[in-house]
Amino acid sequence: MSVVPVRTRFAPSPTGMFHVGGARSALYNWAVARQSAGKFVLRVEDTDTARNRPEWMEGIIQALAAIGIDSSDPAFEGPYLQSQSADRHRQAALQLYTSGRAYFCDCTREQLTERRESEHLGYDGFCRERGLEPARGRALRFRTPDDGETLVVDLIRGKPAFPNSAIEDFVIARGDGSPVFLLANVVDDLDQGITHVIRGEEHLSNTPKQQLLWEALGSAPPMWAHLPVLVNDKRQKLSKRRDKLALEDYLAEGFLPDALVNYLMLLGWGPGDDREIMPYPEMERLFRIEDVNTSPAFFDVKKLSAFNGEYIRALSEEAFVAACAPWLAGPHVPWRSDAFDPDVFAAVAPLAQTRLALLSEITGYVDFLFLDEPVFDEASWTKAMKPGAAQLLRDARTAYAAAAWRAETLKNVLIEVGERHGLKPGKAQAPVRVAVSGRTVGLPLFESLEVLGRDRTVQRLDAALARLTGP
Ligand code: GLU
């Protein structure tokens, strides 16, 4: 017996952004295809031409590449454009008509509404036996079986059965002859030999209709798998208005692709033990579509940030420096472009690496090293510059003007100055930290001072004193 090779597909409608939910669907399809040396087909469902733009295809390919779904991998097939099969969709519609599985309907919207209000929930079958010929303005409807049920085999949800009597005679081509999504999607899946349709739960209501179409077109339906919906912290379905959805936005904020992939894989699935941080290849090996659960998956940005922090800490020093590069140059950095010093950055990079949750935070951690003057955060200033701060800063300045310039010494010197003021080490650090960096939180102070250098440190202590005590 020959085994049919697995063929999954990812079939986004181009919208100009790549939804994190789409990324999860793509990853699950990718994992299932690669596990069995099958194929992952990318098909862009671009039939809604009014909204489609060619550059969106490029965006989809790039977003997939960012999450490791590389179009040059042997498992990758496509991209195909749905619009290129328009003739095939029309041909399938005609086939369903000529075989008697579909009929034309000239009911107007008003007529439908009027009749619907009176009795039926869906279409009432008014034109079923009228034998209307094809004509402009007539929609083509699928003749659903009167009795029996459509049993959908869903690898995640078991075998939901849909009574055929509850499925209306749905439209498969509009009055202008153009096939609708339901049909085009099935015809493409069928022609592309798709064996597993793995997609979001929002499509589950289409599935019995689509399965009827598969059967009517003479093919055995695929395996279905409907992935659980993604929700926010209020248990609401993620939406463009409320939530940040675009994968691109997460990448731009400094989430590492590996961390995103790891987190997305866990939205509805787990390896069966307590492990969460796991590289993709291992998850691919362990992933089983049957183990995906049905309950809504909480897209927890805080947890994603924690994952990201772990991934940042796991980078080699070199890789971390390279990953930070986009946040250290360009129009958004607060320092002059010639002020950035890669050696200075390299000296503090390991200190920052342990502290970041997002790569984009790096700019705020190191700006004080490259700016002529620190940017003071007013809340930090008020918090740190308590009565007595001026005298402390004055004493620290005097001590630092003469101290050996090493972190360890700078620390001991400040502890001693603090003691003279009756302050615990942490309390003595705060005004100095704000004076040199502008903020109460940041990199370890004494290592920062060592890198900043004596002259600039002393100069900043002077400037803070002047700010505190007036001219
Ligand atoms: N183009 C559809 C969507 O983006 C795909 C549906 C499917 O995966 O079958 O929702």
Side-chain angles (χ1 to χ4, degrees):
M1 205 179 84
S2 69
V3 177
V4 181
V6 166
R7 290 173 65 81
T8 66
R9 77 342 181 236
F10 177 54
S13 306
T15 60
M17 72 126 168
F18 197 91
H19 193 298
V20 284
R24 181 202 48 184
S25 299
L27 284 167
Y28 285 6
N29 276 288
W30 183 242
V32 169
R34 284 185 28 116
Q35 280 172 343
S36 49
K39 291 278 184 197
F40 165 100
V41 173
L42 171 62
R43 178 176 76 238
V44 176
E45 303 210 312
D46 63 335
T47 36
D48 194 356
T49 41
R51 284 192 306 145
N52 187 24
R53 304 229 193 94
E55 65 269 25
W56 289 350
M57 166 68 98
E58 200 39 50
I60 291 170
I61 304 258
Q62 273 174 15
L64 288 174
I67 53 171
I69 302 180
D70 189 339
S71 57
S72 64
D73 190 288
F76 192 103
E77 186 179 307
Y80 300 114
L81 277 181
Q82 183 158 69
S83 56
Q84 282 170 352
S85 315
D87 289 347
R88 238 316 265 159
H89 305 148
R90 284 174 189 265
Q91 190 199 345
L94 188 67
Q95 179 190 336
L96 291 169
Y97 169 66
T98 48
S99 64
R101 301 303 308 268
Y103 61 88
F104 282 98
C105 164
D106 64 358
C107 295
T108 61
R109 198 179 295 263
E110 292 72 35
Q111 288 168 336
L112 291 175
T113 319
E114 205 176 294
R115 294 207 303 268
R116 195 166 293 153
E117 275 168 9
S118 56
E119 275 176 67
H120 293 268
L121 274 177
Y123 182 66
D124 59 0
F126 185 80
C127 295
R128 249 187 177 214
E129 309 307 335
R130 288 177 67 208
L132 293 177
E133 296 287 321
R136 222 185 147 69
R138 291 181 180 169
L140 186 62
R141 288 186 181 273
F142 185 72
R143 190 188 298 272
T144 58
D146 293 326
D147 39 35
E149 56 184 22
T150 295
L151 191 78
V152 167
V153 179
D154 187 302
L155 295 169
I156 299 171
R157 281 152 214 274
K159 294 185 180 163
F162 299 84
N164 290 332
S165 58
I167 307 173
E168 66 171 332
D169 284 356
F170 55 94
V171 171
I172 54 176
R174 305 178 187 91
D176 63 1
S178 61
V180 302
F181 158 76
L182 279 179
L183 179 63
N185 181 261
V186 165
V187 171
D188 287 351
D189 281 344
L190 203 153
D191 288 353
Q192 288 161 6
I194 301 304
T195 58
H196 293 66
V197 171
I198 302 168
R199 61 185 179 180
E201 180 179 339
E202 65 276 14
H203 287 289
L204 187 58
S205 59
N206 293 328
T207 306
K209 296 177 184 170
Q210 293 196 302
Q211 179 155 313
L212 287 170
L213 290 174
W214 274 83
E215 288 159 358
L217 290 167
S219 287
M223 297 287 198
W224 307 95
H226 290 89
L227 308 177
V229 66
L230 301 186
V231 295
N232 65 15
D233 54 351
K234 299 191 184 69
R235 313 298 289 169
Q236 298 161 319
K237 187 169 186 266
L238 292 190
S239 97
K240 210 158 145 180
R241 269 181 305 111
R242 288 188 293 253
D243 308 291
K244 187 163 56 177
L245 292 184
L247 185 77
E248 295 90 330
D249 289 347
Y250 285 94
L251 293 169
E253 235 187 274
F255 284 93
L256 289 169
D258 287 350
L260 274 163
V261 167
N262 190 156
Y263 185 68
L264 289 169
M265 284 295 290
L266 298 177
L267 291 172
W269 172 81
D273 51 29
D274 287 341
R275 281 180 309 160
E276 291 197 307
I277 303 285
M278 204 185 288
Y280 176 78
E282 197 175 346
M283 287 192 288
E284 183 179 286
R285 195 169 55 76
L286 297 172
F287 183 77
R288 274 170 37 95
I289 190 76
E290 292 83 354
D291 293 342
V292 172
N293 54 53
T294 53
S295 39
F298 174 24
F299 186 76
D300 183 353
V301 181
K302 283 206 192 96
K303 188 161 179 185
L304 171 59
S305 304
F307 270 48
N308 203 51
E310 295 257 0
Y311 272 85
I312 288 177
R313 286 188 281 287
L315 292 175
S316 69
E317 212 174 299
E318 234 185 330
F320 175 70
V321 169
C324 288
W327 285 275
L328 298 171
H332 53 280
V333 299
W335 53 81
R336 290 190 325 272
S337 58
D338 60 348
F340 182 74
D341 181 339
D343 294 334
V344 167
F345 179 68
V348 295
L351 305 173
Q353 188 173 359
T354 57
R355 289 174 167 72
L356 299 190
L358 293 179
L359 289 173
S360 55
E361 291 165 0
I362 191 66
T363 324
Y365 271 100
V366 300
D367 60 355
F368 73 98
L369 292 165
F370 307 119
L371 286 165
D372 293 336
E373 292 165 13
V375 178
F376 291 110
D377 166 54
E378 284 310 323
S380 295
W381 178 273
T382 315
K383 201 167 142 199
M385 301 304 179
K386 298 262 161 59
Q391 194 51 47
L392 179 106
L393 287 178
R394 219 168 272 131
D395 292 352
R397 187 240 185 257
T398 309
Y400 278 172
W405 208 254
R406 281 203 336 271
E408 188 60 28
T409 321
L410 298 172
K411 180 178 168 188
N412 293 335
V413 165
L414 192 62
I415 290 177
E416 202 186 300
V417 171
E419 274 166 6
R420 273 191 265 140
H421 287 259
L423 293 174
K424 294 223 171 75
K427 293 268 188 256
Q429 277 190 37
V432 175
R433 180 188 286 283
V434 172
V436 297
S437 75
R439 301 185 192 87
T440 42
V441 284
L443 301 181
L445 178 62
F446 305 105
E447 284 86 345
S448 299
L449 296 182
E450 189 177 313
V451 176
L452 190 65
R454 186 198 310 275
D455 290 351
R456 289 211 287 167
T457 302
V458 168
Q459 194 190 343
R460 286 182 188 194
L461 293 173
D462 284 341
L465 270 166
R467 200 174 193 253
L468 259 181
T469 54

